[in-house]
Amino acid sequence: QVQLVESGGGLVQAGGSLRLSCAASGTIFRLSTMGWYRQAPGKQRELVASMTVAGITTYADSVKGRFTISRDNAKNTVYLQMNSMKPEDTAVYYCRSNNYGAVHWGQGTQVTVSS
């Protein structure tokens, strides 16, 4: 059974930082594109950041310069470092793995940024 488990969510004040982790099991992690998505109330789920097998990254315009995605293949873990957080970052954050159509999602972790 493929499983992605997010952790690190919580409550933070605007301007603060938070780091999310996603631990993968039952997957060929090093051969998967990994991504972080988020969904705010009343809005569609959107891509926040992703990283390919080769290490190529993609970021949403809204988080460029503030968020950083990284991965540790030895630990089968992908991270999302979130700095200079804004209330608009409040959402449930989901981890996703993708191996050419073999897609799996984590259960999500709540991130709340207070003003």
Side-chain angles (χ1 to χ4, degrees), residues 69-89:
I69 187 172
S70 62
R71 64 193 292 168
D72 187 336
N73 289 338
K75 296 182 178 179
N76 286 359
T77 301
V78 62
Y79 305 93
L80 183 68
Q81 179 66 47
M82 304 183 289
N83 298 324
S84 302
M85 299 190 71
K86 305 175 180 179
E88 306 93 270
D89 296 322

Side-chain angles (χ1 to χ4, degrees), residues 8-105:
L11 177 65
V12 64
Q13 289 191 337
S17 298
L18 211 58
R19 189 180 76 156
L20 305 182
S21 299
C22 173
S25 62
T27 67
I28 307 177
F29 183 84
R30 66 181 181 86
L31 299 181
S32 299
T33 294
M34 302 299 299
W36 287 98
Y37 293 71
R38 68 186 181 188
Q39 187 167 20
K43 302 185 68 176
Q44 291 189 330
R45 189 172 299 186
E46 64 176 354
L47 174 70
V48 177
S50 67
M51 178 177 284
T52 70
V53 171
I56 304 301
T57 58
T58 299
Y59 294 95
D61 288 341
S62 59
V63 307
K64 286 181 179 177
R66 300 188 299 118
F67 291 9
T68 303
I69 187 172
S70 62
R71 64 193 292 168
D72 187 336
N73 289 338
K75 296 182 178 179
N76 286 359
T77 301
V78 62
Y79 305 93
L80 183 68
Q81 179 66 47
M82 304 183 289
N83 298 324
S84 302
M85 299 190 71
K86 305 175 180 179
E88 306 93 270
D89 296 322
T90 295
V92 177
Y93 284 69
Y94 298 89
C95 178
R96 190 184 82 150
S97 66
N98 184 0
N99 189 351
Y100 299 98
V103 175
H104 293 89
W105 293 89

